[in-house]
C-alpha cells in the first residue's frame, strides 16, 4: 500500500497518472460503499448515529477532495473526511474545505507533524536534535526538515476552519497529530 500511495500521489516526483486515477477511484468507491451500508440502516439507527455524533471517517487527499464533493451520497452528514498528506494542495483548497465542512459531518486534517525548524523556532535555549532510540537501541524515525502537513499548513487549516465556523457554528473539524510525532511526545 505504501508503494502504491507513493507512486500514485505527489509523494513521488513523477506520479503515475493511471495509478493516480485508480487511487482516486478507490477513495470515491469507498465513500459510496460506506454510504450504501449506512443506507441499509433504518432511519432510527441513522438518527441515533447522528445524534451521538458517531461518524465514519474516510481519507482523501487534497487533490481528491473536489471529486469527493461531487460523489452523490445519501448520508454525507454521517461521514467525516480526513485530508491526508499524500498530495500537494490544489489552488482552491481553502474553498474546497469550506464546501467539505458544509457537506460532511466533519472535516479533519490528518497526520500533522512539526518540522525540525518549527520546533527549533519554539526553543527557548539552543536547540540540538538527535533521533531517539527505540527500546532495542535502533534509531527511531527522525523528524524531517520538510513535511507537507507541517505546523504552517495546520495554521492555514485552522484559519479555514474559523471561516467555516463563522459561517456555520455547527461545523466540526480537528487536527490529528502524526503517530510518529506522538511517540516523541510520549
Amino acid at each position: 500500500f505504501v508503494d502504491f500511495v507513493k507512486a500514485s500521489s505527489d509523494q513521488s516526483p513523477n506520479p503515475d497518472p493511471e495509478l493516480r486515477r485508480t487511487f482516486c477511484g478507490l477513495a470515491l468507491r469507498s465513500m459510496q460503499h460506506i454510504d450504501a451500508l449506512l443506507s441499509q440502516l433504518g432511519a432510527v439507527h441513522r438518527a441515533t448515529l447522528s445524534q451521538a455524533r458517531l461518524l465514519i471517517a474516510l481519507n482523501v487527499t487534497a487533490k481528491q477532495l473536489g471529486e469527493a464533493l461531487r460523489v452523490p451520497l445519501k448520508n454525507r452528514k454521517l461521514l467525516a473526511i480526513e485530508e491526508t498528506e499524500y498530495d500537494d494542495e490544489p489552488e482552491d483548497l481553502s474553498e474546497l474545505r469550506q464546501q467539505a465542512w458544509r457537506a460532511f459531518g466533519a472535516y479533519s486534517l490528518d497526520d500533522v507533524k512539526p518540522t525540525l525548524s518549527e520546533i527549533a523556532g519554539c526553543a527557548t535555549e539552543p536547540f540540538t536534535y538527535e533521533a531517539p532510540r527505540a527500546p532495542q537501541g535502533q534509531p527511531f524515525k527522525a523528524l524531517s526538515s520538510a513535511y507537507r502537513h507541517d505546523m504552517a499548513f495546520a495554521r492555514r487549516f485552522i484559519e479555514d476552519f474559523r471561516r467555516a465556523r463563522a459561517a456555520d457554528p455547527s461545523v466540526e473539524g480537528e487536527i490529528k497529530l502524526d503517530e510518529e510525532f506522538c511517540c516523541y511526545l510520549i
Side-chain angles (χ1 to χ4, degrees), residues 83-152:
E83 180 186 316
T84 67
E85 74 281 10
Y86 305 134
D87 275 331
D88 294 333
E89 61 185 287
E91 287 184 28
D92 60 345
L93 180 57
S94 184
E95 181 51 40
L96 290 171
R97 285 175 175 163
Q98 299 303 311
Q99 292 174 38
W101 269 303
R102 289 189 299 269
F104 295 101
Y107 186 77
S108 302
L109 185 62
D110 198 25
D111 288 335
V112 171
K113 176 172 46 176
T115 62
L116 279 172
S117 63
E118 289 174 324
I119 292 172
C122 296
T124 57
E125 52 190 61
F127 179 75
T128 58
Y129 170 79
E130 182 179 312
R133 301 256 172 208
Q136 270 50 37
Q138 66 270 36
F140 186 71
K141 200 168 191 179
L143 290 174
S144 59
S145 59
Y147 186 69
R148 190 169 282 113
H149 281 189
D150 61 9
M151 298 310 288

Side-chain angles (χ1 to χ4, degrees), residues 63-83:
K63 287 185 177 173
Q64 295 170 346
L65 182 55
E67 292 293 324
L69 286 161
R70 290 189 281 279
V71 173
L73 301 168
K74 295 177 183 172
N75 301 287
R76 284 182 182 278
K77 291 296 186 176
L78 292 177
L79 300 177
I81 300 298
E82 294 183 359
E83 180 186 316

Side-chain angles (χ1 to χ4, degrees), residues 5-83:
V5 169
K6 184 172 184 176
S8 63
S9 69
D10 290 334
Q11 289 189 344
S12 167
N14 298 306
D16 181 290
E18 185 59 35
L19 286 179
R20 185 183 284 280
R21 282 189 294 280
T22 300
F23 185 26
C24 184
L26 289 170
L28 302 181
R29 282 193 298 282
S30 292
M31 291 176 72
Q32 292 170 314
H33 177 72
I34 296 300
D35 186 59
L37 291 174
L38 288 167
S39 292
Q40 291 175 10
L41 297 175
V44 171
H45 286 103
R46 286 193 309 275
T48 301
L49 289 173
S50 179
Q51 185 178 18
R53 299 299 303 144
L54 291 174
L55 307 177
I56 297 175
L58 299 165
N59 289 351
V60 298
T61 73
K63 287 185 177 173
Q64 295 170 346
L65 182 55
E67 292 293 324
L69 286 161
R70 290 189 281 279
V71 173
L73 301 168
K74 295 177 183 172
N75 301 287
R76 284 182 182 278
K77 291 296 186 176
L78 292 177
L79 300 177
I81 300 298
E82 294 183 359
E83 180 186 316

